[in-house]
Amino acid sequence: MEFETVIGLEVHLQLNTETKIFCGCRNHQFGSEPNTHVCPVCLGLPGSLPVLNRKVLLSGIKVGLALGCEINTFVKFDRKNYYYPDLPKGYQISQFDFPIAKKGFLNIKVDDGEKRIGITRAHLEEDAGKLIHDDELNASLVDYNRTGTPLVEIVSEPDMRSAQEAYDYLTALKLTLTYLGVSDCDMEKGSLRCDANVSIRPAGQAALGTKTELKNMNSFSAVKRAIEYEVDRQTRIVISGGKVVQETLLWDEAKGTTHTMRSKEEAHDYRYFPEPDLVPFTLTDSDINAVFKELPELPYVKLFRFKKQYGLNDYDAFILISDRSIADFFEKCAVLYSDAKKIANWLNGPLMKELNGRKKSFSQLSLSSEEMTGLIRKVEEGVVSNLVGKDILTTLLDTAKSVNAIIEEQGLAQVSDDAALIRVVDEVMAANPKAIAEIKSGKTSAMGFLVGQAMKKMNGKANPKKLGEILKGRFENV
Amino acid sequence: MINKETVNYVGALARLHIDPQNADRFAKNLEDILHYVEKLNTLDVSSVKPTSHVLDVENVFREDTVIPSLSQDKAMGFAVEHHKGFYKVAKVIE
């Protein structure tokens, strides 16, 4: 029997505001001592009252608009009740029936074009604390620094049909969110987390199968692997006549398997009710328009424009827009140098290689568009070879010296001076009578050997094109 | 219909110990409350705006400005048990 996979994703995004969602505790606590960014509000002490961080609401609107959502003009918060030590109040302040945003979409690339993945809703909520299970103490240790970190939860429609589509959705979502600058979207640090709802159904059947929820994946590729594993597991169960049980499963990265999650949220009975400690919020059209005006050009709009404005192919344009700071840099370079394709080649090739080698992002480097285009110009004018140009780029990033200074200091300029090249060609020809005899007898491959010898004599700094021309001229004259 | 099982279930969710002798009585009390709400449900409220908050106040914000947090010592002061700056609780396993 043929089965169809159905996947919906829930993404939790930590916002990078200065303070937490409902109190003034610092929000950037990664690597801090435990329980040093806590106060009566985020510890849920009796008598304390939450107050919404304005920036969190604005970031929520931003995310919603970027995902093509409707923004609710009436916004309220609700209590989601469950008992677990990572939640000091015994409830999480979240949004139930009036989320900040709903009914959006995100396009992903598929073989025959684009596919639209629906976004059901995006809502604001507070993050929970962190638990460490200590076997030696036979106890659990709780750190509430993370408690109250602002989150946007983005819930997709069950529109994805393969693990690859889920991966592509996450990549597209992260790209869009990174452009907004509302989060660092780092899955390893937990600032972007993803749960997957997975089910299978016989191909052609409209009704959804029983789903399981996958948690604990800490990279996009782990999400893909976990879904593949789960689809396989469900298929085997159904084929052997069994029934899939609705449950929450934890992905085990080391083993490459899932196992049933016990304890937490056994009964999914959250008893939502309106949060009485927070008054409701109403947004006017002009509030929403103000945020809309602040939205940056979004990645897929930029992609389209780069192709059109600079005549780039899809591949080049996509690599450039994959990092907003590189895309901006490209445009600065394009003002100074007219051949956009050449710039794209340098940024997507040698520069990308430098970034990967250094394990750094572009924004961590200081490279000016003047120096970058200066370097491209030197290569195009034949002052330095392509190969030497790449070395200069390395030095440029290491030392922050100018291209001109590097060429001068290291004597890297190619020798294009005819007299010097002719001298070397003559020397090489005199030393290799056998090669000359071969060329004269029609074996022109020996020509490359002679060029190589001449290049060696000049420590690789001869202009290869000129060298070749002079050598060829010698034989034509014979 | 509220029965003893419902009372015990809701009690468990709320971490309340329900004395078996009282379960029947609570069931009856809760049932009475639901009947009362059912009665309210018969009223026509189509022209009444839903109350989402008892206060007639909206849009209360704070700006995104850091204020000092508690010290770790002070935060630990509330705890029954703590260990190296962490709150220590009965072991929960995932």
Side-chain angles (χ1 to χ4, degrees):
Chain A
M1 193 193 282
E2 281 280 322
F3 290 100
E4 181 179 53
T5 302
V6 177
I7 303 158
L9 296 178
E10 287 168 23
V11 168
H12 285 87
L13 183 74
Q14 284 185 339
L15 297 175
N16 59 4
T17 48
E18 287 299 313
T19 63
K20 295 184 177 184
I21 183 168
F22 298 123
C23 64
C25 287
R26 189 170 285 287
N27 180 30
H28 312 287
Q29 334 86 355
F30 194 79
S32 297
E33 286 292 305
N35 298 305
T36 49
H37 296 283
V38 292
C39 74
V41 173
C42 57
L43 288 174
L45 300 187
S48 64
L49 283 174
V51 186
L52 181 64
N53 181 341
R54 185 194 299 271
K55 188 131 185 246
V56 170
L57 187 74
L58 294 176
S59 296
I61 298 171
K62 226 182 211 184
V63 170
L65 289 173
L67 298 175
C69 292
E70 286 173 28
I71 303 299
N72 270 324
T73 50
F74 177 80
V75 175
K76 76 174 181 55
F77 287 87
D78 302 275
R79 288 189 182 180
K80 177 179 175 178
N81 298 279
Y82 65 89
Y83 278 96
Y84 205 65
D86 64 2
L87 200 60
K89 299 192 295 294
Y91 58 85
Q92 178 190 32
I93 303 180
S94 180
Q95 295 193 286
F96 185 57
D97 47 358
F98 291 91
I100 183 93
K102 62 187 179 194
K103 293 183 194 163
F105 65 90
L106 193 63
N107 287 337
I108 59 167
K109 279 188 179 182
V110 287
D111 288 339
D112 48 352
E114 283 189 328
K115 177 173 173 176
R116 180 169 282 209
I117 307 295
I119 307 279
T120 315
R121 57 185 276 155
H123 68 255
L124 298 169
E125 61 184 26
E126 56 180 344
D127 208 345
K130 269 186 184 160
L131 285 176
I132 301 168
H133 305 291
D134 192 312
D135 288 329
E136 221 167 284
L137 292 169
N138 196 32
S140 291
L141 300 175
V142 197
D143 175 7
Y144 286 134
N145 279 343
R146 198 179 67 178
T147 307
T149 296
L151 296 178
V152 182
E153 180 174 338
I154 301 160
V155 183
S156 86
E157 290 288 308
D159 284 348
M160 286 151 274
R161 293 290 172 269
S162 67
Q164 183 62 44
E165 284 187 9
Y167 183 91
D168 293 341
Y169 166 83
L170 287 172
T171 311
L173 182 63
K174 179 177 170 177
L175 184 56
T176 299
L177 295 171
T178 313
Y179 264 57
L180 299 180
V182 294
S183 170
D184 65 358
C185 302
D186 186 339
M187 226 174 156
E188 272 173 40
K189 281 192 202 158
S191 52
L192 191 153
R193 308 196 286 269
C194 174
D195 301 337
N197 290 307
V198 180
S199 64
I200 58 166
R201 63 183 170 192
Q205 179 185 305
L208 292 170
T210 305
K211 68 175 179 187
T212 55
E213 185 177 9
L214 303 178
K215 284 179 182 280
N216 201 39
M217 293 82 79
N218 63 3
S219 68
F220 288 176
S221 55
V223 173
K224 196 176 159 202
R225 283 196 297 277
I227 293 172
E228 280 163 355
Y229 175 86
E230 180 58 13
V231 168
D232 209 47
R233 189 187 71 89
Q234 291 187 9
T235 309
R236 274 185 278 118
I237 291 174
V238 174
I239 284 175
S240 62
K243 274 210 165 92
V244 175
V245 180
Q246 179 159 357
E247 61 182 338
T248 302
L249 299 166
L250 291 181
W251 171 245
D252 186 326
E253 179 71 22
K255 287 187 194 148
T257 58
T258 56
H259 60 267
T260 303
M261 180 168 173
R262 284 170 288 174
S263 67
K264 199 179 184 180
E265 304 164 34
E266 276 166 84
H268 276 264
D269 193 343
Y270 295 130
R271 293 150 293 142
Y272 281 97
F273 64 85
E275 168 57 88
D277 286 347
L278 288 164
V279 295
F281 300 85
T282 50
L283 299 168
T284 62
D285 284 348
S286 75
D287 291 335
I288 297 167
N289 276 334
V291 179
F292 188 74
K293 278 191 195 134
E294 276 176 30
L295 283 186
E297 181 183 34
L298 292 171
Y300 293 92
V301 178
K302 202 186 277 290
L303 177 76
F304 183 75
R305 181 170 64 80
F306 272 24
K307 283 157 64 176
K308 205 168 166 223
Q309 184 176 340
Y310 299 108
L312 298 175
N313 63 31
D314 199 56
Y315 176 82
D316 279 333
F318 191 77
I319 299 181
L320 289 173
I321 63 109
S322 295
D323 182 332
R324 189 178 163 187
S325 58
I326 291 181
D328 290 347
F329 182 66
F330 166 80
E331 293 210 87
K332 275 192 201 158
C333 290
V335 171
L336 300 169
Y337 190 77
S338 61
D339 191 338
K341 173 69 186 158
K342 285 253 153 62
I343 300 169
N345 287 348
W346 272 90
L347 301 195
N348 293 345
L351 182 63
M352 203 59 83
K353 207 174 149 200
E354 292 288 338
L355 292 175
N356 291 339
R358 290 157 200 259
K359 292 195 165 53
K360 279 195 173 167
S361 67
F362 180 76
S363 44
Q364 289 172 289
L365 298 178
S366 61
L367 177 63
S368 75
S369 51
E370 285 79 12
E371 292 302 328
M372 187 70 236
T373 51
L375 175 58
I376 298 173
R377 206 166 265 129
K378 293 284 183 207
V379 173
E380 288 311 309
E381 287 168 358
V383 177
V384 295
S385 70
N386 201 44
L387 209 64
V388 171
K390 288 177 189 170
D391 290 340
I392 294 175
L393 179 63
T394 308
T395 315
L396 203 54
L397 296 174
D398 284 340
T399 63
K401 283 179 185 163
S402 74
V403 172
N404 283 334
I406 295 166
I407 293 176
E408 199 163 314
E409 273 175 27
Q410 304 188 15
L412 296 172
Q414 267 183 168
V415 179
S416 302
D417 167 33
D418 286 355
L421 294 175
I422 289 169
R423 201 163 52 240
V424 173
V425 167
D426 286 343
E427 277 173 36
V428 168
M429 285 179 70
N432 294 284
K434 201 180 144 205
I436 290 169
E438 280 177 16
I439 293 167
K440 281 181 177 165
S441 70
K443 216 176 149 196
T444 49
S445 61
M447 194 77 109
F449 170 75
L450 291 180
V451 171
Q453 290 297 306
M455 193 59 109
K456 206 167 159 190
K457 264 189 176 302
M458 300 200 69
N459 297 321
K461 284 189 291 186
N463 182 330
K465 205 170 147 223
K466 280 216 156 164
L467 203 57
E469 278 167 11
I470 291 168
L471 203 62
K472 220 171 149 198
R474 277 286 183 278
F475 286 95
E476 277 161 8
N477 293 342
V478 169
Chain B
M1 172 71 188
I2 303 274
N3 54 27
K4 228 181 348 190
E5 283 67 41
T6 315
V7 170
N8 286 329
Y9 172 70
V10 174
L13 283 177
R15 295 293 192 274
L16 290 173
H17 172 72
I18 308 283
D19 203 319
Q21 292 158 293
N22 290 328
D24 279 325
R25 189 162 59 88
F26 289 158
K28 171 142 193 342
N29 290 158
L30 290 170
E31 184 81 17
D32 288 346
I33 292 168
L34 287 187
H35 278 313
Y36 179 67
V37 174
E38 261 167 42
K39 211 173 201 170
L40 290 178
N41 270 341
T42 61
L43 296 172
D44 178 13
V45 291
S46 54
S47 60
V48 182
K49 212 177 144 225
T51 306
S52 44
H53 201 276
V54 292
L55 299 177
D56 192 19
V57 180
E58 285 181 339
N59 299 355
V60 177
F61 292 106
R62 35 171 283 274
E63 295 308 318
D64 189 22
T65 315
V66 176
I67 57 167
S69 298
L70 296 174
S71 67
Q72 195 188 56
D73 277 352
K74 200 142 195 192
M76 289 302 110
F78 316 118
V80 180
E81 276 194 281
H82 54 91
H83 178 79
K84 292 184 178 167
F86 291 93
Y87 294 102
K88 188 175 160 192
V89 300
K91 196 169 180 180
V92 285
I93 312 155
E94 280 188 359

